[in-house]
Amino acid sequence: MENQTDILQLEGLKVSPQSSIPAFILLLLIYVFIMVSNLGLVVLITMETSLHQPMYLLFCNMSVNDAFGASTIIPRLLSDVFTPSSERHISYIDCVVQAFCAHFHASATHTVLMIMAFDRYVAICNPLRYAAIMTNSMVVKLSVSAWAVALIMVLILVGLSVRLSRCRWIIFNPFCDNASLFKLSCESLLINQVYGLGYTVVLLGSSIGSVTLTYLKIAAVCLSSKNKALNSKALQTCATHLAVYIIMFVSGSIIIILHRFPDLSDERKLASIMFHVVPPAMNAVIYGLQIKAVREKLVIMFTRNTCDKHAKK
């Protein structure tokens, strides 16, 4: 019998009573670090006019997306840590919103990294035309396109699941995602599965393809160039971007691979949480510490504050 209940039971984070407090503290510290580091970097780039360059402005998209993704998952996990599994309830509307936000964050991560790769390509392969190509208008267009593409793809993805009637009410996952939504239905899931496969192929294919092609061209330019300064700068900025991309790609790939092994469902659920925790925590650190301009501004701000405190004393 169809049960169109608006209240669902969420499996949430699986932790023993003895591990509840350590898990809560660890997650809370990670969440605070993600928010402070990513939003702090956005504020720094916004306030420092010397950092108003396309590379840093495009990176603001990544920092905002990381803070958004972490806020989608972690606060709910924190609120459920001390709640018994049988009492972890979530409304259907809230579940849909969380699923949409989780997939929107994942999709935007790919699209934002793609436009950042394009920026690095223009900077290294067409340095003389960089200022003419990467104008403020172009930065805005690239940013809007990255978010818009992710938005449209995820709206269709989640919309196909929302249209289904529901005959189940338990979400066997730490948080709501699209698969959790359509698994609540007893109807045919063929359309959802076909679109879901196409969505994954298009997103990953375009992401991997564009980043790979970009770095192959950058590598060719660096190998043919005898300018050591150019090669050093290219290596620094590209290594930073590539490290962020690899962390994101590996985190996402682990989830996809573990889907093929039903016996490893607990490991897959943990990996899905890590996708929304590890990359957001690492990205700001990688960019903040590896990019010289950002690192220098952080040092100046820190020393200035320290000197002001000593002067007041």
Side-chain angles (χ1 to χ4, degrees), residues 189-238:
L189 304 177
L190 180 60
I191 296 177
N192 298 73
Q193 292 168 343
V194 170
Y195 181 80
L197 179 61
Y199 161 86
T200 304
V201 170
V202 170
L203 187 64
L204 290 181
S206 57
S207 173
I208 296 172
S210 62
V211 171
T212 301
L213 182 61
T214 296
Y215 279 100
L216 285 175
K217 290 188 175 183
I218 289 175
V221 169
C222 290
L223 289 174
S224 61
S225 173
K226 296 181 180 180
N227 189 331
K228 293 183 178 180
L230 173 65
N231 292 345
S232 176
K233 182 179 179 181
L235 180 63
Q236 182 186 24
T237 58
C238 291

Short mmCIF file of all heavy atoms in Angstrom, two decimals, residues 189-238:
data_model
loop_
_atom_site.label_atom_id
_atom_site.label_comp_id
_atom_site.label_asym_id
_atom_site.label_seq_id
_atom_site.Cartn_x
_atom_site.Cartn_y
_atom_site.Cartn_z
N LEU A 189 11.98 2.79 -11.95
CA LEU A 189 13.03 3.80 -11.78
C LEU A 189 13.91 3.93 -13.02
O LEU A 189 14.99 4.50 -12.96
CB LEU A 189 13.92 3.43 -10.57
CG LEU A 189 13.19 3.24 -9.24
CD1 LEU A 189 14.18 2.80 -8.16
CD2 LEU A 189 12.49 4.53 -8.81
N LEU A 190 13.42 3.41 -14.15
CA LEU A 190 14.22 3.40 -15.37
C LEU A 190 14.65 4.80 -15.79
O LEU A 190 15.83 5.04 -16.09
CB LEU A 190 13.44 2.72 -16.50
CG LEU A 190 14.18 2.63 -17.85
CD1 LEU A 190 15.46 1.83 -17.70
CD2 LEU A 190 13.26 2.04 -18.91
N ILE A 191 13.70 5.74 -15.80
CA ILE A 191 14.02 7.11 -16.22
C ILE A 191 15.06 7.72 -15.30
O ILE A 191 16.02 8.36 -15.75
CB ILE A 191 12.74 7.98 -16.25
CG1 ILE A 191 11.76 7.45 -17.31
CG2 ILE A 191 13.09 9.44 -16.53
CD1 ILE A 191 10.45 8.21 -17.36
N ASN A 192 14.88 7.52 -14.00
CA ASN A 192 15.83 8.06 -13.02
C ASN A 192 17.23 7.48 -13.22
O ASN A 192 18.23 8.19 -13.15
CB ASN A 192 15.36 7.75 -11.60
CG ASN A 192 14.03 8.40 -11.27
OD1 ASN A 192 13.00 7.97 -11.77
ND2 ASN A 192 14.05 9.43 -10.45
N GLN A 193 17.28 6.18 -13.47
CA GLN A 193 18.58 5.51 -13.63
C GLN A 193 19.26 5.93 -14.92
O GLN A 193 20.49 6.13 -14.95
CB GLN A 193 18.39 4.00 -13.57
CG GLN A 193 17.97 3.49 -12.20
CD GLN A 193 17.50 2.05 -12.21
OE1 GLN A 193 17.18 1.49 -13.26
NE2 GLN A 193 17.45 1.43 -11.03
N VAL A 194 18.48 6.09 -15.98
CA VAL A 194 19.06 6.51 -17.27
C VAL A 194 19.60 7.93 -17.15
O VAL A 194 20.74 8.22 -17.57
CB VAL A 194 18.01 6.42 -18.40
CG1 VAL A 194 18.54 7.09 -19.66
CG2 VAL A 194 17.67 4.96 -18.68
N TYR A 195 18.78 8.84 -16.60
CA TYR A 195 19.26 10.22 -16.46
C TYR A 195 20.43 10.30 -15.49
O TYR A 195 21.39 11.05 -15.72
CB TYR A 195 18.14 11.14 -15.98
CG TYR A 195 18.62 12.58 -15.85
CD1 TYR A 195 18.72 13.39 -16.98
CD2 TYR A 195 19.00 13.10 -14.61
CE1 TYR A 195 19.19 14.70 -16.88
CE2 TYR A 195 19.48 14.40 -14.51
CZ TYR A 195 19.56 15.19 -15.64
OH TYR A 195 20.05 16.47 -15.53
N GLY A 196 20.34 9.54 -14.38
CA GLY A 196 21.42 9.55 -13.40
C GLY A 196 22.74 9.10 -14.02
O GLY A 196 23.80 9.69 -13.76
N LEU A 197 22.68 8.07 -14.88
CA LEU A 197 23.88 7.59 -15.56
C LEU A 197 24.39 8.64 -16.54
O LEU A 197 25.59 8.93 -16.60
CB LEU A 197 23.58 6.29 -16.30
CG LEU A 197 24.74 5.67 -17.08
CD1 LEU A 197 25.89 5.32 -16.14
CD2 LEU A 197 24.27 4.42 -17.83
N GLY A 198 23.46 9.24 -17.31
CA GLY A 198 23.85 10.28 -18.26
C GLY A 198 24.44 11.49 -17.54
O GLY A 198 25.44 12.07 -17.99
N TYR A 199 23.82 11.88 -16.44
CA TYR A 199 24.30 13.00 -15.62
C TYR A 199 25.73 12.76 -15.15
O TYR A 199 26.59 13.63 -15.26
CB TYR A 199 23.33 13.15 -14.43
CG TYR A 199 23.85 13.92 -13.24
CD1 TYR A 199 23.73 15.31 -13.18
CD2 TYR A 199 24.41 13.26 -12.15
CE1 TYR A 199 24.17 16.01 -12.06
CE2 TYR A 199 24.85 13.96 -11.04
CZ TYR A 199 24.73 15.33 -11.00
OH TYR A 199 25.16 16.02 -9.89
N THR A 200 25.99 11.54 -14.67
CA THR A 200 27.33 11.20 -14.17
C THR A 200 28.35 11.18 -15.30
O THR A 200 29.45 11.72 -15.17
CB THR A 200 27.31 9.82 -13.48
OG1 THR A 200 26.34 9.83 -12.42
CG2 THR A 200 28.68 9.48 -12.90
N VAL A 201 27.98 10.57 -16.44
CA VAL A 201 28.88 10.48 -17.58
C VAL A 201 29.22 11.87 -18.13
O VAL A 201 30.40 12.17 -18.39
CB VAL A 201 28.28 9.60 -18.69
CG1 VAL A 201 29.11 9.69 -19.97
CG2 VAL A 201 28.19 8.15 -18.23
N VAL A 202 28.21 12.70 -18.30
CA VAL A 202 28.43 14.05 -18.84
C VAL A 202 29.29 14.89 -17.90
O VAL A 202 30.25 15.55 -18.32
CB VAL A 202 27.08 14.75 -19.12
CG1 VAL A 202 27.31 16.23 -19.45
CG2 VAL A 202 26.35 14.07 -20.25
N LEU A 203 28.94 14.85 -16.61
CA LEU A 203 29.66 15.68 -15.63
C LEU A 203 31.11 15.23 -15.49
O LEU A 203 32.04 16.04 -15.60
CB LEU A 203 28.95 15.63 -14.28
CG LEU A 203 29.50 16.56 -13.20
CD1 LEU A 203 29.32 18.02 -13.61
CD2 LEU A 203 28.80 16.30 -11.87
N LEU A 204 31.30 13.93 -15.25
CA LEU A 204 32.66 13.42 -15.07
C LEU A 204 33.45 13.46 -16.37
O LEU A 204 34.64 13.79 -16.37
CB LEU A 204 32.62 11.99 -14.52
CG LEU A 204 32.14 11.81 -13.08
CD1 LEU A 204 32.19 10.35 -12.69
CD2 LEU A 204 32.98 12.63 -12.13
N GLY A 205 32.77 13.12 -17.49
CA GLY A 205 33.45 13.12 -18.78
C GLY A 205 33.95 14.50 -19.17
O GLY A 205 35.11 14.66 -19.58
N SER A 206 33.08 15.50 -19.03
CA SER A 206 33.50 16.86 -19.38
C SER A 206 34.54 17.39 -18.41
O SER A 206 35.48 18.10 -18.81
CB SER A 206 32.27 17.79 -19.38
OG SER A 206 31.62 17.77 -18.12
N SER A 207 34.41 17.02 -17.15
CA SER A 207 35.37 17.46 -16.13
C SER A 207 36.75 16.86 -16.39
O SER A 207 37.75 17.59 -16.50
CB SER A 207 34.88 17.08 -14.74
OG SER A 207 35.85 17.34 -13.76
N ILE A 208 36.81 15.55 -16.49
CA ILE A 208 38.09 14.87 -16.72
C ILE A 208 38.68 15.27 -18.06
O ILE A 208 39.89 15.54 -18.17
CB ILE A 208 37.90 13.34 -16.65
CG1 ILE A 208 37.46 12.92 -15.25
CG2 ILE A 208 39.20 12.62 -17.02
CD1 ILE A 208 37.06 11.45 -15.15
N GLY A 209 37.82 15.31 -19.08
CA GLY A 209 38.30 15.64 -20.42
C GLY A 209 38.90 17.04 -20.51
O GLY A 209 39.99 17.23 -21.05
N SER A 210 38.18 18.02 -19.96
CA SER A 210 38.66 19.41 -20.05
C SER A 210 39.92 19.62 -19.23
O SER A 210 40.86 20.29 -19.69
CB SER A 210 37.56 20.37 -19.59
OG SER A 210 37.23 20.13 -18.23
N VAL A 211 39.96 19.06 -18.02
CA VAL A 211 41.14 19.23 -17.17
C VAL A 211 42.36 18.52 -17.78
O VAL A 211 43.47 19.05 -17.81
CB VAL A 211 40.87 18.71 -15.74
CG1 VAL A 211 42.16 18.68 -14.92
CG2 VAL A 211 39.84 19.59 -15.05
N THR A 212 42.15 17.30 -18.30
CA THR A 212 43.25 16.56 -18.92
C THR A 212 43.78 17.28 -20.14
O THR A 212 45.00 17.45 -20.30
CB THR A 212 42.78 15.14 -19.33
OG1 THR A 212 42.32 14.44 -18.17
CG2 THR A 212 43.92 14.36 -19.96
N LEU A 213 42.87 17.74 -21.02
CA LEU A 213 43.28 18.45 -22.23
C LEU A 213 44.02 19.74 -21.88
O LEU A 213 45.05 20.08 -22.49
CB LEU A 213 42.05 18.77 -23.08
CG LEU A 213 42.31 19.47 -24.42
CD1 LEU A 213 43.19 18.60 -25.32
CD2 LEU A 213 40.99 19.80 -25.11
N THR A 214 43.51 20.44 -20.88
CA THR A 214 44.14 21.69 -20.45
C THR A 214 45.57 21.46 -19.99
O THR A 214 46.49 22.18 -20.40
CB THR A 214 43.32 22.32 -19.30
OG1 THR A 214 42.02 22.68 -19.78
CG2 THR A 214 44.01 23.57 -18.77
N TYR A 215 45.76 20.45 -19.16
CA TYR A 215 47.10 20.22 -18.61
C TYR A 215 48.06 19.61 -19.63
O TYR A 215 49.27 19.81 -19.53
CB TYR A 215 47.01 19.38 -17.34
CG TYR A 215 46.65 20.23 -16.14
CD1 TYR A 215 45.35 20.27 -15.65
CD2 TYR A 215 47.60 21.03 -15.55
CE1 TYR A 215 45.01 21.08 -14.59
CE2 TYR A 215 47.28 21.84 -14.48
CZ TYR A 215 45.99 21.87 -14.00
OH TYR A 215 45.67 22.69 -12.96
N LEU A 216 47.55 18.91 -20.59
CA LEU A 216 48.41 18.42 -21.67
C LEU A 216 48.94 19.60 -22.49
O LEU A 216 50.13 19.62 -22.86
CB LEU A 216 47.63 17.45 -22.57
CG LEU A 216 47.38 16.05 -21.99
CD1 LEU A 216 46.50 15.24 -22.94
CD2 LEU A 216 48.70 15.32 -21.73
N LYS A 217 48.07 20.57 -22.77
CA LYS A 217 48.50 21.74 -23.52
C LYS A 217 49.46 22.60 -22.70
O LYS A 217 50.44 23.14 -23.23
CB LYS A 217 47.28 22.56 -23.95
CG LYS A 217 46.44 21.88 -25.02
CD LYS A 217 45.36 22.80 -25.55
CE LYS A 217 44.61 22.16 -26.70
NZ LYS A 217 43.58 23.05 -27.29
N ILE A 218 49.19 22.72 -21.41
CA ILE A 218 50.08 23.48 -20.54
C ILE A 218 51.45 22.81 -20.46
O ILE A 218 52.49 23.47 -20.52
CB ILE A 218 49.46 23.62 -19.12
CG1 ILE A 218 48.27 24.57 -19.17
CG2 ILE A 218 50.51 24.12 -18.13
CD1 ILE A 218 47.52 24.68 -17.86
N ALA A 219 51.45 21.48 -20.35
CA ALA A 219 52.71 20.74 -20.30
C ALA A 219 53.50 20.92 -21.59
O ALA A 219 54.72 21.08 -21.55
CB ALA A 219 52.42 19.26 -20.06
N ALA A 220 52.79 20.92 -22.73
CA ALA A 220 53.47 21.10 -24.02
C ALA A 220 54.12 22.48 -24.11
O ALA A 220 55.24 22.62 -24.60
CB ALA A 220 52.47 20.92 -25.15
N VAL A 221 53.41 23.50 -23.61
CA VAL A 221 53.96 24.86 -23.63
C VAL A 221 55.18 24.96 -22.73
O VAL A 221 56.20 25.56 -23.09
CB VAL A 221 52.88 25.88 -23.19
CG1 VAL A 221 53.51 27.25 -22.95
CG2 VAL A 221 51.79 25.98 -24.24
N CYS A 222 55.09 24.37 -21.54
CA CYS A 222 56.21 24.43 -20.59
C CYS A 222 57.43 23.68 -21.12
O CYS A 222 58.57 24.11 -20.93
CB CYS A 222 55.79 23.84 -19.25
SG CYS A 222 54.60 24.87 -18.36
N LEU A 223 57.21 22.55 -21.79
CA LEU A 223 58.33 21.78 -22.33
C LEU A 223 59.01 22.50 -23.48
O LEU A 223 60.23 22.39 -23.67
CB LEU A 223 57.83 20.40 -22.79
CG LEU A 223 57.43 19.42 -21.68
CD1 LEU A 223 56.82 18.16 -22.27
CD2 LEU A 223 58.64 19.06 -20.81
N SER A 224 58.23 23.24 -24.26
CA SER A 224 58.80 23.95 -25.42
C SER A 224 59.37 25.31 -25.04
O SER A 224 60.11 25.91 -25.82
CB SER A 224 57.73 24.13 -26.50
OG SER A 224 56.65 24.91 -26.00
N SER A 225 59.03 25.78 -23.85
CA SER A 225 59.51 27.09 -23.41
C SER A 225 60.81 26.95 -22.61
O SER A 225 60.97 26.04 -21.81
CB SER A 225 58.45 27.78 -22.55
OG SER A 225 58.95 28.97 -22.00
N LYS A 226 61.71 27.91 -22.80
CA LYS A 226 62.96 27.92 -22.06
C LYS A 226 62.94 28.97 -20.95
O LYS A 226 63.95 29.24 -20.31
CB LYS A 226 64.13 28.20 -23.01
CG LYS A 226 64.33 27.11 -24.06
CD LYS A 226 65.51 27.41 -24.96
CE LYS A 226 65.71 26.31 -26.00
NZ LYS A 226 66.87 26.59 -26.89
N ASN A 227 61.76 29.54 -20.75
CA ASN A 227 61.59 30.57 -19.71
C ASN A 227 61.38 29.89 -18.37
O ASN A 227 60.31 29.37 -18.07
CB ASN A 227 60.39 31.46 -20.06
CG ASN A 227 60.29 32.66 -19.15
OD1 ASN A 227 60.70 32.63 -18.00
ND2 ASN A 227 59.72 33.74 -19.69
N LYS A 228 62.41 29.88 -17.54
CA LYS A 228 62.33 29.19 -16.25
C LYS A 228 61.32 29.84 -15.31
O LYS A 228 60.65 29.17 -14.54
CB LYS A 228 63.71 29.16 -15.59
CG LYS A 228 64.72 28.29 -16.33
CD LYS A 228 66.04 28.24 -15.57
CE LYS A 228 67.04 27.33 -16.30
NZ LYS A 228 68.34 27.27 -15.58
N ALA A 229 61.22 31.17 -15.37
CA ALA A 229 60.27 31.88 -14.51
C ALA A 229 58.84 31.49 -14.86
O ALA A 229 58.00 31.26 -13.97
CB ALA A 229 60.46 33.38 -14.66
N LEU A 230 58.55 31.41 -16.17
CA LEU A 230 57.22 31.00 -16.62
C LEU A 230 56.90 29.58 -16.17
O LEU A 230 55.82 29.31 -15.65
CB LEU A 230 57.12 31.10 -18.14
CG LEU A 230 55.83 30.55 -18.78
CD1 LEU A 230 54.63 31.38 -18.35
CD2 LEU A 230 55.95 30.53 -20.29
N ASN A 231 57.86 28.69 -16.35
CA ASN A 231 57.66 27.29 -15.97
C ASN A 231 57.47 27.14 -14.47
O ASN A 231 56.67 26.32 -14.01
CB ASN A 231 58.83 26.45 -16.44
CG ASN A 231 58.90 26.33 -17.95
OD1 ASN A 231 57.93 26.63 -18.64
ND2 ASN A 231 60.04 25.91 -18.48
N SER A 232 58.20 27.91 -13.69
CA SER A 232 58.09 27.84 -12.23
C SER A 232 56.72 28.31 -11.77
O SER A 232 56.08 27.69 -10.92
CB SER A 232 59.18 28.69 -11.58
OG SER A 232 59.03 28.70 -10.18
N LYS A 233 56.26 29.43 -12.35
CA LYS A 233 54.94 29.96 -12.00
C LYS A 233 53.84 28.99 -12.42
O LYS A 233 52.88 28.75 -11.68
CB LYS A 233 54.73 31.32 -12.67
CG LYS A 233 53.40 31.96 -12.32
CD LYS A 233 53.26 33.32 -13.00
CE LYS A 233 51.90 33.95 -12.66
NZ LYS A 233 51.73 35.27 -13.32
N ALA A 234 53.99 28.42 -13.61
CA ALA A 234 53.00 27.47 -14.11
C ALA A 234 52.94 26.24 -13.21
O ALA A 234 51.85 25.74 -12.89
CB ALA A 234 53.35 27.05 -15.53
N LEU A 235 54.12 25.76 -12.80
CA LEU A 235 54.17 24.58 -11.94
C LEU A 235 53.49 24.84 -10.61
O LEU A 235 52.75 23.99 -10.12
CB LEU A 235 55.63 24.18 -11.72
CG LEU A 235 55.87 22.95 -10.84
CD1 LEU A 235 55.25 21.72 -11.49
CD2 LEU A 235 57.35 22.74 -10.60
N GLN A 236 53.71 26.02 -10.04
CA GLN A 236 53.13 26.33 -8.73
C GLN A 236 51.61 26.42 -8.79
O GLN A 236 50.91 25.78 -8.01
CB GLN A 236 53.70 27.65 -8.20
CG GLN A 236 53.16 28.02 -6.82
CD GLN A 236 53.63 29.40 -6.37
OE1 GLN A 236 53.95 30.25 -7.20
NE2 GLN A 236 53.65 29.64 -5.08
N THR A 237 51.09 27.23 -9.71
CA THR A 237 49.64 27.43 -9.78
C THR A 237 48.91 26.18 -10.28
O THR A 237 47.83 25.86 -9.79
CB THR A 237 49.30 28.62 -10.69
OG1 THR A 237 49.85 28.38 -12.00
CG2 THR A 237 49.87 29.90 -10.15
N CYS A 238 49.50 25.48 -11.22
CA CYS A 238 48.86 24.29 -11.77
C CYS A 238 48.89 23.12 -10.78
O CYS A 238 47.94 22.35 -10.68
CB CYS A 238 49.51 23.87 -13.08
SG CYS A 238 49.19 25.02 -14.43
#
